[in-house]
Amino acid sequence: STQSTGIPISPQMRPKLFDGANSISATAAGIATLLTLHLMYKHTKYYCKPDEQKHIIRILWMIPIYAVDCAVATWEPDWSRYVDPARDCYEAFVLYSFCILLRHYLGAEKSELSARFEGQELKHFFPFCCLSPLRINRLFFRRAEQGIIQYMLIKPLLAIAQMFCTFWDVYDGGLLDYSRGYTWILLFTNLSQTVALYCLIYIYHAIHHCPEVQGRNLLGKFLCIKSVVFFAFWQSCLFAFLEYMDVIEESNGISADTRSASMDDFVLCIEMAIIALVHQKIFSYKEYRAIATPLTHLLKESGWRNNEDDVDHEALPEQYRNMTEDEIESRAAQERVASAVSKRTAVKDVFNPSDVLGDVRQHFVSSQSVTPPDQDGFLQVQVDEEVDPETNLVSEEQAQEKHEQGLDSHLKG
């Protein structure tokens, strides 16, 4: 590392945000990472609902990724422009994972969605509140999910563009400097992210009253996801605006734009530690422990930790009160062995991208391009619904449902 004059800077004289910033950010990142890794371990230990828990674990990975990234960028401010894009890409994937988690919470097959919400409508939100209400059916969920998935696909492209612009020294510039890459990437990121969040809000409002999602702390999960997105994006916009207004200036050997990004990363470190604490409650593993090992769950909730602790019979249901401590502990041990699932299976599910690729294919492969399996590997769809005698046409929703059913069958095969 050298100054602009070419004179080497020793590690002790390396530019820093402020005294103590490195220690504070490292401590906050460490707390956030350890808390989240422990929570993910518990989910793998009681891995009884793969369709839900693999998406929860994917969402939880956001905290260590953010925390470590922000700590690194605080220690080495010049690195923030290179490491932040990778972090932001995972943020887009988290929005997608939460969307799919909501679908699994609902517990309805795609083919059942129209019947499940038959006759229900959803009013548009501002600024489109003057438009006709939306019918909640299968096509509604498909369009909303497409709006979320597009952000997951576009964000990596924008991150690559940002890295190229940085490499060619055409990225950094003022907030409204359209001759540089920053303003354009900010604009397209803002548009894509706004569409994704808007669609996620629509899905939440469509299903939050359903009995299947009651007791799932849906609002808390939604606010946690939305808050991270808010802190990550709009907070960066705030610091960029402060730099634009010359509130943030060059100091301690750090340029104004680098200092602005580093301040954003430092604050994010603190916020990730707070959100990691909140996640212990919002994304708790205990509801899955109650399913995988019900007796062990009851014992844990009563304060029992191991065989050296006394069993509180009064805290257990009637069926266990006439049993001795040894009998209860023996049954709990048998229960844990019987329900044990290889943690390797959980890890493979979390990091296996096949479900994500299949979802992208189902949402963005046009029904007009579906061909027989002996040509392109796709399954040809025969649409045989009732045809309107006046128009001789099949509704878009019916045709799309047939198309997706064919793709579902092909992918399962």
Side-chain angles (χ1 to χ4, degrees):
S1 178
T2 60
Q3 294 177 330
S4 57
T5 58
I7 301 174
I9 300 177
S10 67
Q12 292 78 15
M13 298 296 293
R14 190 181 303 280
K16 55 186 177 181
L17 197 57
F18 61 85
D19 290 337
N22 293 348
S23 300
I24 295 173
S25 63
T27 302
I31 292 173
T33 300
L34 291 176
L35 284 173
T36 304
L37 289 177
H38 176 263
L39 182 56
M40 289 192 290
Y41 167 77
K42 289 294 187 179
H43 273 287
T44 61
K45 183 177 180 179
Y46 302 108
Y47 195 66
C48 58
K49 286 194 172 182
D51 287 341
E52 295 178 11
Q53 287 175 281
K54 70 178 178 182
H55 294 294
I56 290 176
I57 295 173
R58 286 170 174 175
I59 292 170
L60 293 175
W61 265 114
M62 168 180 59
I63 301 300
I65 290 173
Y66 265 67
V68 173
D69 168 277
C70 293
V72 169
T74 304
W75 277 74
E76 292 286 352
D78 289 333
W79 291 7
S80 62
R81 66 188 71 185
Y82 299 104
V83 296
D84 287 355
R87 175 199 73 192
D88 295 339
C89 289
Y90 197 79
E91 168 206 300
F93 179 68
V94 165
L95 286 182
Y96 160 78
S97 296
F98 183 61
C99 170
I100 305 305
L101 179 63
L102 294 182
R103 183 203 298 170
H104 287 296
Y105 277 166
L106 193 58
E109 296 292 335
K110 292 182 179 180
S111 58
E112 301 171 354
L113 289 174
S114 294
R116 174 69 177 77
F117 294 92
E118 184 177 3
Q120 296 187 32
E121 293 183 337
L122 184 66
K123 292 183 178 179
H124 281 278
F125 305 118
F126 180 83
F128 306 112
C129 46
C130 58
L131 300 178
S132 301
L134 289 167
R135 290 176 55 197
I136 303 179
N137 51 29
R138 182 172 180 173
L139 190 59
F140 163 83
F141 284 100
R142 176 180 174 81
R143 294 291 182 252
E145 289 179 5
Q146 284 177 328
I148 296 170
I149 293 174
Q150 59 81 25
Y151 181 48
M152 181 181 69
L153 300 177
I154 290 175
K155 185 58 187 178
L157 300 179
L158 293 174
I160 293 172
Q162 177 178 340
M163 294 181 70
F164 274 107
C165 289
T166 301
F167 179 76
W168 288 326
D169 197 26
V170 293
Y171 177 70
D172 294 325
L175 187 63
L176 300 177
D177 185 358
Y178 294 100
S179 64
R180 313 287 287 180
Y182 174 78
T183 300
W184 290 106
I185 290 175
L186 181 68
L187 174 63
F188 287 119
T189 299
N190 190 13
L191 289 174
S192 180
Q193 186 186 84
T194 300
V195 170
L197 282 174
Y198 204 75
C199 291
L200 189 60
I201 292 172
Y202 272 117
I203 292 177
Y204 169 78
H205 279 277
I207 72 171
H208 78 279
H209 64 282
C210 296
E212 295 90 343
V213 300
Q214 300 306 310
R216 297 296 194 128
N217 208 343
L218 210 61
L219 179 60
K221 290 180 172 65
F222 176 76
L223 292 177
C224 276
I225 299 297
K226 193 173 181 181
S227 65
V228 172
V229 174
F230 173 84
F231 289 141
F233 180 73
W234 292 107
Q235 187 171 273
S236 67
C237 293
L238 172 62
F239 281 106
F241 178 74
L242 293 177
E243 177 201 344
Y244 176 73
M245 298 298 294
D246 293 328
V247 176
I248 298 176
E249 299 177 341
E250 180 179 355
S251 63
N252 292 339
I254 307 176
S255 64
D257 59 327
T258 301
R259 186 174 183 80
S260 171
S262 298
M263 290 176 69
D264 180 34
D265 289 321
F266 173 79
V267 175
L268 274 173
C269 273
I270 309 300
E271 292 165 347
M272 288 305 107
I274 297 172
I275 294 175
L277 286 170
V278 176
H279 277 184
Q280 306 300 308
K281 175 68 174 179
I282 300 301
F283 290 99
S284 175
Y285 65 90
K286 292 183 179 179
E287 64 178 285
Y288 300 103
R289 184 179 68 185
I291 297 172
T293 56
L295 179 54
T296 300
H297 176 73
L298 292 171
L299 289 172
K300 294 283 188 180
E301 289 297 294
S302 68
W304 180 91
R305 290 294 174 264
N306 53 53
N307 292 347
E308 296 180 359
D309 296 334
D310 294 331
V311 174
D312 184 2
H313 285 76
E314 296 300 321
L316 299 177
E318 187 69 31
Q319 65 194 81
Y320 299 112
R321 291 181 183 175
N322 294 327
M323 298 172 62
T324 66
E325 283 196 20
D326 289 341
E327 290 174 335
I328 291 175
E329 291 171 350
S330 176
R331 180 172 294 189
Q334 293 172 2
E335 183 183 75
R336 290 193 296 273
V337 172
S339 64
V341 176
S342 171
K343 296 179 181 63
R344 183 179 298 179
T345 300
V347 173
K348 287 175 63 178
D349 284 349
V350 170
F351 291 100
N352 186 356
S354 60
D355 61 317
V356 180
L357 298 176
D359 227 18
V360 172
R361 171 187 282 185
Q362 290 186 37
H363 281 83
F364 290 98
V365 173
S366 170
S367 58
Q368 301 297 323
S369 64
V370 178
T371 56
D374 58 345
Q375 293 183 27
D376 291 324
F378 288 90
L379 186 66
Q380 187 173 13
V381 178
Q382 299 294 332
V383 180
D384 54 4
E385 273 84 356
E386 294 182 2
V387 179
D388 189 327
E390 295 183 2
T391 63
N392 198 36
L393 294 174
V394 178
S395 71
E396 179 184 2
E397 182 181 347
Q398 288 178 325
Q400 193 62 59
E401 287 184 8
K402 270 294 183 181
H403 168 61
E404 289 186 1
Q405 288 171 2
L407 287 177
D408 286 340
S409 300
H410 177 61
L411 289 173
K412 290 178 181 178

